[in-house]
Amino acid sequence: MTVADKIPLTLHHLALNETPYPPLESVQKAIADCIPEIHRYPQFYADDLIRSVARWRDVQPESVIIGSGSVGVALQTLHAFTNGPDDEVVYGWRAFDAYPIITDMAGARRVEVPLTADGEQDLERILGSITARTRVVILCNPHNPTGTTVGARALEAFLDALPKSVLVLLDEAYMEFARDEALPQGLDLLRSGRENLVVLRTFSKAYGLAGLRVGYGLSTPETAHRIRRMSVPYSITEVARTAVAASITAEDELAERIATVTRERTRMQAALRARGWRVFESRANFLWLAEPERCEAFHRACAEPGIEVRLYPGEGIRLTIGTPDANDLVLETVRHL
């Protein structure tokens, strides 16, 4: 037996916060129907998709930005609002791995503010890190990788205290899983007159279209225009446009999927806590195990039967919620740790 033969085939992908389920059936049919046309170029700047999202979100088309996932919109935003290493981008850390990458790509300077001991973004320390060079602040709500949230009052107070010259990128990639009416919605903040705000959403998570790379941003028409000038022509394929158009008309199907994931999140959170693991309260489709001493043992145990989880050495584990069978296997695998 070779070394390769001893490496288990990965059976359960619980590391990248993907949905464990394929696209909705109506979306799969729409994708199949458009395949005969993929020899044609898509629209230069995804104008039809912009109009579809605008109608769906009840905003002006001029307020919508489309990109390659929400991270694509975020990168366009940093290119539009920073201009070299003298400009700063501030965010809590640890956070989504792409934040430092896109800050570097834009040529700006990273300012990484430690999270609180409870895995929350420290808004007071972030405000204290703002300087005359700060151009953009990124907030993630719910937060990746901890799943924690910023409440409405705290977020509004933060925005009130922030200089109007600083743009806020509010990353709501996991908002569909929050299911919490008290959680602030970026679109509501925009409608209340917040002008220095860009709200990021994605079709990669709840909608199950991670492989098609489509996200969108919402902002004022002036800000959106500035960001859209950084768009890459032809970057949204016709397959992606078709899938998104079908997805936003299948809200009932989607709600069932989300309910299944959130039920499993609650079950897994309770089961892991009952077994002595420190698990933060999550409003996303994953759990954060705040176990710096035991995280590597958890990761090794899961790898043995072919379960991928996300290890942050010396910090913790981010565990994506999978199917009930996959989640049961995780619980059984780590039972003796």
Side-chain angles (χ1 to χ4, degrees):
M1 180 179 291
T2 67
V3 173
D5 293 329
K6 297 178 182 178
I7 299 175
L9 180 68
T10 299
L11 302 176
H12 300 288
H13 300 272
L14 306 182
L16 294 179
N17 297 343
E18 303 149 325
T19 176
Y21 305 107
L24 301 170
E25 289 187 14
S26 58
V27 177
Q28 292 187 49
K29 182 180 184 305
I31 291 172
D33 289 345
C34 83
I35 287 175
E37 296 299 318
I38 63 174
H39 62 297
R40 303 295 184 187
Y41 277 107
Q43 287 186 325
F44 202 69
Y45 282 133
D47 293 333
D48 286 350
L49 184 53
I50 287 171
R51 285 190 285 268
S52 295
V53 170
R55 286 193 298 271
W56 174 49
R57 287 305 187 199
D58 193 23
V59 298
Q60 303 174 60
E62 292 79 11
S63 293
V64 178
I65 312 114
I66 298 293
S68 179
S70 57
V71 70
V73 179
L75 176 59
Q76 291 170 215
T77 303
L78 296 191
H79 277 307
F81 281 85
T82 64
N83 187 31
D86 287 338
D87 290 347
E88 297 174 344
V89 176
V90 182
Y91 49 86
W93 189 257
R94 177 165 299 275
F96 178 31
D97 293 337
Y99 295 165
I101 294 172
I102 62 175
T103 302
D104 291 350
M105 290 175 70
R109 177 176 176 266
R110 312 178 200 169
V111 179
E112 298 178 342
V113 179
L115 304 181
T116 70
D118 294 324
E120 297 179 351
Q121 294 159 102
D122 193 330
L123 300 186
E124 184 175 346
R125 289 188 67 177
I126 288 175
L127 280 173
S129 301
I130 303 299
T131 72
R133 295 180 175 182
T134 305
R135 298 293 174 263
V136 179
V137 170
I138 307 176
L139 294 180
C140 190
N141 202 30
H143 186 254
N144 176 14
T146 64
T148 58
T149 58
V150 178
R153 287 187 179 180
L155 181 54
E156 289 175 6
F158 175 84
L159 294 174
D160 287 340
L162 200 67
K164 301 306 179 187
S165 59
V166 176
L167 185 76
V168 176
L169 263 178
L170 183 60
D171 185 350
E172 294 184 337
Y174 300 95
M175 186 60 77
E176 285 84 2
F177 299 104
R179 304 179 68 82
D180 186 347
E181 293 182 359
L183 200 63
Q185 300 284 317
L187 182 53
D188 291 337
L189 292 169
L190 281 171
R191 287 173 173 155
S192 70
R194 303 282 182 180
E195 295 188 355
N196 59 331
L197 182 65
V198 176
V199 181
L200 300 178
R201 290 291 188 100
T202 185
F203 292 98
S204 295
K205 307 302 181 186
Y207 291 87
L209 303 180
L212 291 180
R213 309 305 303 128
V214 189
Y216 65 98
L218 302 173
S219 192
T220 65
E222 295 77 16
T223 297
H225 175 71
R226 184 170 172 178
I227 297 169
R228 281 161 68 165
R229 290 170 58 195
M230 303 296 167
S231 299
V232 177
Y234 298 124
S235 61
I236 304 300
T237 68
E238 181 62 14
V239 174
R241 185 204 65 78
T242 299
V244 168
S247 293
I248 62 181
T249 61
E251 293 292 310
D252 290 342
E253 291 177 77
L254 180 69
E256 292 180 15
R257 285 276 182 88
I258 293 172
T260 298
V261 171
T262 54
R263 280 196 301 269
E264 281 297 291
R265 180 186 70 199
T266 300
R267 180 176 76 90
M268 288 292 287
Q269 183 172 268
L272 288 166
R273 284 176 173 174
R275 297 179 185 190
W277 294 90
R278 186 181 181 220
V279 183
F280 288 161
E281 193 71 24
S282 174
R283 288 291 179 268
N285 68 330
F286 55 83
L287 298 175
W288 175 254
L289 281 64
E291 294 280 357
E293 302 298 328
R294 297 197 289 169
C295 61
E296 296 197 28
F298 190 104
H299 182 259
R300 285 195 301 271
C302 287
E304 185 70 25
I307 306 168
E308 283 185 345
V309 300
R310 178 62 193 277
L311 170 67
Y312 295 83
E315 298 179 55
I317 291 286
R318 190 186 65 194
L319 173 66
T320 304
I321 300 301
T323 63
D325 287 347
N327 298 332
D328 286 343
L329 182 57
V330 171
L331 293 176
E332 177 62 27
T333 298
V334 302
R335 184 163 57 96
H336 299 298
L337 292 182

